[in-house]
Every structure is written in structure tokens, then in C-alpha cells.
Amino acid sequence: MTKEPQQTRFENYTCWGSFVTPTYNMLKSPAKNSSCFHCGLPVDANRIVEKNIQNVARHFCCHGCSSVCEMIYDSGLEGFYQRTPDGQLLAPPPEPPQEACLYDIDEVQSEFVSELANVRDIHLMVEGIHCSACVWLIERSLTKLPGIIDVKVNLSNKRLFVRWDNTQNKISNIIELLGKTGYAAIPFNPETAEAAINKQNRALLLRMAFAAFSMMNLLWVSIALYSGADQGEFKQLFHWVGFSLATPTLFYSGWPFLKGAWTGLKHLNLTMDVPIAIGATATYSYSVFITISQTSVGDVYYDTVVNFIFVILVGRFLEAKSKRHAVAASQRLMDLQPRVAHVIRDNETHIVPIRSIQKDETILVKPGEKIPVDGIILSGNSSVDEALLSGESAPLKKQAGDLLSAGTVNIENTLTVKVTATLRNTSLGKIISLVEEAQASKAPIQCIADQIVPWFVAVTLLLAALTFGYWLADGIEYALLAATSVLIITCPCAFGLATPMSIAVASGLAARNGLLIKNGAVLEYLSGIHHFVFDKTGTLTEGKMRLKEIITSDNLAADNKQRLLEKVAHLESLSEHSIGKAIVQHAKLQNIKANSQKVKHFINKPGFGICGEIDQQMIIVGNSRWLENNNIPLHTQFLQQAEERENKGISCVHIAIDGEHSGFISIADQLRPDAKKLITDLRNAGIELTLLSGDKRAVAMAIASELGGMNVIAEVLPGEKDRVIQNLQSQGQQVAMIGDGVNDAPALIRADVGIAIGSGTDVSVESADIVLLSNELDKIRLASDLSKRTLRTIRQNISMSIVYNIITVPLAMMAFVSPLFAAIAMPISSLAVIGNASRIGTLFKHPD
């Protein structure tokens, strides 16, 4: 990454990413500046790269650093350096990828983009992203390029999302600009990303190991001093031994804290590293003074410095591991994706990497193997386990023509499959992308915590100063240790972790249990909603209409009913409505083949019906209003018979031939088996319930009655559902809309929270905030419970941090707590927050 060099100084090292004012730099002679102006690393005197930056000569360790610094200033983005708040370890700009133009080739790019259209989007893994200043710099620099539509940087996983117009710009230009800015970007690869995380953990582990080595050796020095050696001839020897161990420990193992503190102070941004660094350096400096002055008054505390640096590093390492484990749901989803597949090419089976598989190729999936792609079964039948992806507990029977999803497991027989989607275009790939977006999102409550942390640190520094002043009368040592304990024991980290950890855990666990939450903020919104509006067809009912009976005049013979069914089936074959499909399916069972070619002048009126000409006869099919609109006289007998059935929840479709009301067809849809339990549970939870339907009021009332009673809004056209939700919101109600995500899309978008019933593992419902990957309605209750549990956990975490500090800070100010104990106690609050967030997972085992 490129954070402009900022000259923050500890032992002649420059903190990369801090801002250096011209006044400060002019105080130093360039000839004496041994640190790179950009990255802060030492500059070899024989290889100094010098360049004028705003008419001031600057020294750099390499041409990469000088180019990046010059590019930032030339672009007018020097404000980047004032936005570098935290103390991540940085490095010179990484090497940009070679031959970036290869990614402009459609065949190569197809592995990474969702669609090879004019407007494309891609996820890039970016090496060098360290802080919010990096986010600012990348987004500002890329938005200046032509054709860039959207740029989003995910700081937590070091990824960049870019949407651009490929006719105006190329992905290679984007990658090259990032390289000039100091970031190496390549299309995202899960294995590469995992390697980068492991590298960071190894670096932290090395620092921790060095601190452990020093701590164990200093232990013997401390034992000797505490046993009386501090009064003997070897006192100074032991002091210098302690100095030789503590000094590299502070400036190597403790360097992240020193760097973070200096960077924060230069930008007046108080991070958690500030009190840690002040406590460590103050204690170390006092010990160095005692060592050098060789005074007989006072003791050294090198062991204290080393011990609490080691303990804090252990805490951070465990914290990193715990966070990684807690939010590992997306990684486990990635693990569902096989690395290779059996592809049939030239009548031979080849084992090839997933990335080389193309759409419309044919693959073999053997028993026990994970399905590597989305596809359609060409031949074979088997059972497929979709539990890890959709939450369906029982294996599903699959046969030729059925759809398969990547990440599911073939159980019984070999399947021949035609590829329809690969990699991130599969259902599994889309789920992973949406889960990661949810984990990176911020809930509104997090803004409060973000505002508290800087003030919290400021109060900590004030309390430490007051503690030092109060105990100074008892000796500088006593006052110093008490103040250091105050600095170390305080922990605002829990405020920062409280919300993101809870949201990350919740969204990951939800995905593993068949609930796809597209945005973490939805969890907070859903927890405050007390009005659920349900679409009827396909949501509370199975959405599988079945023809029950054909009602005509008493004197119409059975063969005439067959001919009537045939005409209606021809007409309905052009309709996409579930009722039309039910009629066509019933005709097929009666050996009647629907032929859309026989229909002329077809008209479809959503919410009313259809009509068309067949064999020179005008056929009109729809509700009674549709017949009236076409000036068809309605027969009272048919209306009465239809009303009787509608009162039982059976829908009726009226038929008119050549201007005469000829009868009607009754169609029934079954309630989902778990619909009644869901409505009962929600009603018992005090949630207001409304049934929204396009059917006649009598049909909707019958369904509501069967479910135990709820509000009913019926005879609503698809385009009017959005207005219904708007009316409810205008009354001050927060509304959640539950639908099938198709004709309910406007209402789902309008609602405060939109919940779509998925079809198997279908995640194409862009209009919903939450998608049920299976058809288990109980997941709606789980989503509601999960949102409440998540918000409660966030509040618990913040409360835990407050209580921890209310108890420990006064004890430290009263000098009841040593710096070592403070170092042990400080990470506990962060680990407690992580552990408490992980408890959200118990909701799926023991619902509240």
C-alpha cells in the first residue's frame, strides 16, 4: 500500500503512514535522514534515491517508494497521510503483478467477473491495505478514472470491489493505477487470501516468541534481584542483562504498539496503542535511568515491561485466532467448493481444475463427491445432500432435468451434468459474496461505539496522569507503576469489537443454516419490527396449484368438459401464472397436449385474466371482474357455486366462450406444513400479522382462518402491493414483507426488511434483504430471533466492557493492581466479547 511516508521516530525508524509537516522535516538535515520518507525503513547510504516532493528533497529506500509518493502528491491526494490512524506494520509498496493486460482477455476475465457484459464487476485482492486511510486513497484515486461506476474497499479482508464500464476502461488500467499508488492487486483467489492471513499470523507469532524468550530469561534475573542480588556486587550486571533483554523486546515485539501510538498521536487520533505504548516506554525509561545512573535508590522493572508486552501479544494472537474462528462461516462455505472435476472432452474423462471448466461442458459426478458447479442433470438419478448449503436436512432425490448446485454432495449414483455456472457465478459463489458483504457492513449502533473509543482513550490518559500525581508523594516508582497499570488495564477494544463481531458471527451462522442475510444492518432493523406482512401464494402456501373440478351447466357432457379443458389448456400454455400451469398440468394427465400455436390474438391482463381466439372462438379465462370488463353476462348459479368454494379457500377461474359464461374451474393450493406453527409462534411473540393476497377476499379470509386468524388485505393487484406497504409505513409502523421475490419485488424493496422465500438454493432474489435458501418457514422465526439475539449480544458486549473498566480502573488507580496483572486482565474483555458473540450460535440449537 502506499501510505505516504511519515516521519515518526523511534530509534531512527520512520512510521510508514504518518503525516509529516514541512516544518518538521525542515528541522532535519536531509543528509542525516537515514529513513525512507515513504515507508520509514532504513536507507542504505550507498543506494539513496532522492526526489523533490513539493520542492523539498526527500530520501527514499527505493524507486518504488519515490514513485508512489510522487504519484500521491501529483494526484492531489496527500490528504491520505492525514487519514492514517492505526498502527499496522507497513512495508514498501509491493511489486505490482506482471502482465496485467492478460486480465483484459475475456477468456481469462470470465473466471473472475459475474458477466461478460459492457458493465462488469470484479473482486480484487489488494496487498498493502492497512487502515481506513488506504480505503480513502484507493476509492478516491479509482473514482477519477473514466468508466468507473462503483468502488468499495473491504478493510477486514483486504478486498476491493470494482464495477466499471468495459467499453471505457480496462481492468489492467485499474490494476496498474493501484500499482502506481502502492498496492498490488490481482483478481481474488480464496487460497491466496488465506495465505496472506496466515502470513500475518506468523509475523505476530514470531514477535510473541521473541518476547517469551526474553520473559523466561528475565525471570531468572528477577529471581536473583528479589533474592538479595540487588544489594550485592552483581547488581549492575543484572541490571545490564535486563536492559539487553528488554530493549530488543520493546522495539521488536512491542514495535506494533509504539508505531500505532505514534501514528495516532501525530494525527490526534487516540487508539488503544497509545496507553500501552506510554505505559511500556515510561516503565522502560525509568528502568534505563536507574541502570545508567547506578543510583542506589530505586529498582528496575525490565521484567514488568517484557512480561506485559508478551501477555498483550498473546492476547492479540488469541484474539486474532478467535475472530478468525468466529467468522469462519464464509471460509467453510468456500471449502464446499471442490478444486477439480471430471470433465468429458473428446469422449474421454479428464480431471481438470475448476477454473478451466467452461459453461455448457459436460462433467461426471461420482458417488460421494461434492458437486463442483451449478448444472442440469443429463442422465442418471441419485440423492443429493444439500444440508451444508441450504439447510435441508434430508437428501433430495434428483433425476434427469433437475438442477444441481455447487457445494452439495452426490450420495448414491454417478451423474452426468451439463454445466450452467462456475465459480463465483454459482449459487454457492453468490452466497459467499453476500455473506462477506454482510460481515463487512456496519449496523447503525456501531457508529455510537466508534465515537466512544477515542474519548475513552483520552479519559484513560487523564486518569493515568491523575493517578501518577496522586501517588507521587509515595515515590516515583510507586506512582509510575500505578499509572502504568491504569494505562494497560483499560480496554476500549471491546467497544470496537462489540458490533462487528456479533454481526459477522450472526450472518455466517445464518448462512450455514439456510438464511442468507445480505446486510448486517438488517439484523438491527429486524429486531425492532413488530408487523409481518405475508404474501399468500408461494409463501404461506406451497405455490403448487392443483385443479380440483370443472364446473359447467348440468347438461354439459363429460366429453364436452374435456373439450372445454383442452381449449383452456391451449390458452393457459401462454401464461406464466401458477393457476395456468396447474391447468396445463392437469390437461397433460388427461392426455391432452396443450398447443400454444392454436391461440391467436392472445392478451394477458395481470390480476384479471387472459383471452385469445381458438378455432374462431373467443375464449376468456379469469376472475369475474375480467368477464365483466369484457361485457360477459355472469350466471348467478356459477357465482354462487364459486363463492361457496372460495369461502373454503379454493380459488375459482371463470370461463367464457363466444360471449357466454360457460362455467369455472376450481383450483386449490395447499398450506405449507409449517405455516400454521410459524404464524402461531409469531402471534405468541406479540407480532402483528397481515395476509396480503391478490385472491378474492373470501379465499384469503379462509386461509387466514385456517392459520388461526390474522389481518387480511385481499384483491390486491401485483403493482399495488408496494402501495399497501407504503400505507402501513405511513401509519408509523415498521414492516417486514415476506414474499416469493418475484411479483413481490417492489413490496420487498419498500418494506423496512424484505424476506424472500428461496427456491432450493436460489439466491437471485436481489430485492430482498433476507433470503430463505430452503422452503422451511420456521427460518423466518429464526431470523427474527437471531436479530433480537444479535442486538442483545451487542448491548451485552458493550455493557461487559463498561463494567470491566468500572471495576478494574479504580483498582488500578488505588494501586491494587500491578502492571503484569493489568496486562493479563486487559485482553480478557476482548476475548469475552468474542466468546459472547460466538454464543449466538446456540440459538440454532436452543431457540429462545
Side-chain angles (χ1 to χ4, degrees), residues 711-768:
N711 301 327
V712 173
I713 303 176
E715 300 182 39
V716 180
L717 297 178
E720 296 176 347
K721 293 181 179 180
D722 168 56
R723 196 178 310 153
V724 171
I725 299 298
Q726 187 177 18
N727 290 338
L728 292 174
Q729 291 173 326
S730 66
Q731 299 170 15
Q733 301 186 47
Q734 290 182 304
V735 180
M737 172 70 190
I738 300 94
D740 60 14
V742 183
N743 60 10
D744 302 318
L748 289 172
I749 295 173
R750 172 72 64 180
D752 296 284
V753 175
I755 303 176
I757 307 295
S759 175
T761 55
D762 180 20
V763 291
S764 62
V765 190
E766 299 294 338
S767 53

Side-chain angles (χ1 to χ4, degrees), residues 99-343:
E99 300 180 350
C101 58
L102 290 177
Y103 295 117
D104 293 336
I105 302 173
D106 283 349
E107 288 74 13
V108 176
Q109 202 175 112
S110 63
E111 299 181 14
F112 306 104
V113 300
S114 56
E115 184 180 4
L116 291 174
N118 288 339
V119 176
R120 305 180 182 184
D121 54 69
I122 192 170
H123 287 269
L124 301 175
M125 190 179 75
V126 185
E127 182 182 352
I129 293 180
H130 296 283
C131 65
S132 56
C134 300
V135 175
W136 180 88
L137 179 61
I138 292 174
E139 291 180 348
R140 292 300 188 284
S141 57
L142 288 186
T143 50
K144 293 185 176 183
L145 288 177
I148 299 297
I149 299 172
D150 191 17
V151 179
K152 294 178 182 176
V153 178
N154 188 325
L155 179 60
S156 61
N157 57 23
K158 311 296 188 292
R159 271 182 233 164
L160 166 65
F161 171 80
V162 181
R163 178 175 288 119
W164 81 103
D165 188 337
N166 200 57
T167 62
Q168 299 183 42
N169 217 324
K170 302 297 181 184
I171 189 63
S172 59
N173 294 335
I174 296 172
I175 293 175
E176 288 171 4
L177 177 62
L178 288 170
K180 293 177 181 178
T181 315
Y183 302 90
I186 57 172
F188 171 66
N189 181 302
E191 294 177 359
T192 307
E194 187 69 18
I197 293 173
N198 292 335
K199 182 180 179 181
Q200 293 175 1
N201 287 340
R202 282 196 300 271
L204 181 59
L205 191 60
L206 285 174
R207 295 179 185 277
M208 185 174 68
F210 186 85
F213 167 80
S214 299
M215 182 187 70
M216 288 184 291
N217 285 276
L218 267 174
L219 176 63
W220 297 108
V221 174
S222 300
I223 290 175
L225 291 172
Y226 294 146
S227 300
D230 59 334
Q231 303 296 328
E233 58 182 312
F234 296 107
K235 174 181 177 180
Q236 291 303 315
L237 173 63
F238 283 123
H239 282 185
W240 284 108
V241 170
F243 171 81
S244 64
L245 290 170
T247 300
T249 303
L250 176 63
F251 291 104
Y252 171 66
S253 297
W255 178 248
F257 310 123
L258 300 179
K259 172 121 177 37
W262 179 256
T263 303
L265 288 174
K266 290 194 70 172
H267 298 295
L268 303 178
N269 183 20
L270 299 177
T271 67
M272 186 53 210
D273 289 330
V274 173
I276 294 176
I278 291 176
T281 52
T283 307
Y284 171 80
S285 299
Y286 176 78
S287 300
V288 171
F289 169 76
I290 296 297
T291 301
I292 295 176
S293 65
Q294 299 185 9
T295 179
S296 58
V297 179
D299 296 312
V300 295
Y301 294 95
Y302 294 121
D303 56 333
T304 300
V305 175
V306 172
N307 287 348
F308 79 66
I309 286 178
F310 170 72
V311 171
I312 293 174
L313 285 173
V314 170
R316 290 205 173 181
F317 181 77
L318 293 176
E319 183 180 318
K321 285 291 186 180
S322 298
K323 284 194 286 188
R324 181 74 178 152
H325 174 74
V327 301
S330 58
Q331 180 60 42
R332 286 192 285 271
L333 287 172
M334 290 180 187
D335 292 339
L336 295 177
Q337 174 75 66
R339 299 290 182 261
V340 297
H342 302 276
V343 180

Side-chain angles (χ1 to χ4, degrees), residues 553-574:
S553 57
D554 295 336
N555 58 0
L556 196 59
D559 58 338
N560 289 335
K561 287 186 177 182
Q562 287 291 94
R563 285 195 292 272
L564 178 64
L565 175 62
E566 182 178 4
K567 294 181 188 302
V568 174
H570 292 328
L571 192 63
E572 291 286 4
S573 65
L574 293 172

Side-chain angles (χ1 to χ4, degrees), residues 251-561:
F251 291 104
Y252 171 66
S253 297
W255 178 248
F257 310 123
L258 300 179
K259 172 121 177 37
W262 179 256
T263 303
L265 288 174
K266 290 194 70 172
H267 298 295
L268 303 178
N269 183 20
L270 299 177
T271 67
M272 186 53 210
D273 289 330
V274 173
I276 294 176
I278 291 176
T281 52
T283 307
Y284 171 80
S285 299
Y286 176 78
S287 300
V288 171
F289 169 76
I290 296 297
T291 301
I292 295 176
S293 65
Q294 299 185 9
T295 179
S296 58
V297 179
D299 296 312
V300 295
Y301 294 95
Y302 294 121
D303 56 333
T304 300
V305 175
V306 172
N307 287 348
F308 79 66
I309 286 178
F310 170 72
V311 171
I312 293 174
L313 285 173
V314 170
R316 290 205 173 181
F317 181 77
L318 293 176
E319 183 180 318
K321 285 291 186 180
S322 298
K323 284 194 286 188
R324 181 74 178 152
H325 174 74
V327 301
S330 58
Q331 180 60 42
R332 286 192 285 271
L333 287 172
M334 290 180 187
D335 292 339
L336 295 177
Q337 174 75 66
R339 299 290 182 261
V340 297
H342 302 276
V343 180
I344 301 175
R345 293 173 179 170
D346 300 326
N347 295 322
E348 294 183 358
T349 302
H350 304 271
I351 299 177
V352 301
I354 293 297
R355 291 190 176 278
S356 66
I357 298 177
Q358 302 296 319
K359 186 178 178 181
D360 295 330
E361 283 196 294
T362 302
I363 66 170
L364 287 179
V365 184
K366 298 179 180 180
E369 291 184 345
K370 291 179 181 177
I371 297 168
V373 296
D374 282 2
I376 300 175
I377 299 176
L378 297 178
S379 63
N381 59 78
S382 183
S383 295
V384 175
D385 183 3
E386 297 185 347
L388 291 178
L389 189 59
S390 69
E392 294 281 2
S393 55
L396 303 177
K397 292 291 184 181
K398 299 287 185 176
Q399 58 186 5
D402 287 344
L403 299 177
L404 295 176
S405 296
T408 57
V409 181
N410 180 26
I411 298 177
E412 296 173 348
N413 305 311
T414 299
L415 298 174
T416 304
V417 180
K418 178 182 177 181
V419 179
T420 59
T422 62
L423 300 172
R424 62 191 301 264
N425 294 319
T426 64
S427 296
L428 175 61
K430 293 176 183 177
I431 291 173
I432 292 171
S433 297
L434 291 171
V435 169
E436 290 177 342
E437 289 176 14
Q439 291 178 338
S441 62
K442 285 188 177 183
I445 195 174
Q446 186 171 350
C447 298
I448 301 174
D450 291 344
Q451 294 170 0
I452 289 177
V453 171
W455 291 103
F456 190 98
V457 176
V459 171
T460 299
L461 297 177
L462 176 62
L463 293 177
L466 293 174
T467 302
F468 182 82
Y470 180 82
W471 292 108
L472 189 58
D474 291 356
I476 189 172
E477 290 184 8
Y478 200 76
L480 179 63
L481 292 180
T484 301
S485 297
V486 173
L487 291 170
I488 297 171
I489 205 166
T490 53
C491 187
C493 303
F495 285 110
L497 288 173
T499 299
M501 278 304 305
S502 299
I503 287 178
V505 171
S507 56
L509 288 171
R512 290 173 55 199
N513 288 273
L515 268 173
L516 183 57
I517 298 172
K518 293 187 177 182
N519 190 308
V522 171
L523 291 168
E524 183 172 344
Y525 297 140
L526 184 59
S527 65
I529 288 178
H530 299 285
H531 192 164
F532 280 38
V533 177
F534 288 87
D535 178 54
K536 181 180 76 69
T537 304
T539 303
L540 292 175
T541 65
E542 294 179 350
K544 298 177 181 178
M545 298 289 189
R546 296 176 178 84
L547 191 149
K548 295 184 70 70
E549 54 186 339
I550 302 174
I551 306 297
T552 61
S553 57
D554 295 336
N555 58 0
L556 196 59
D559 58 338
N560 289 335
K561 287 186 177 182

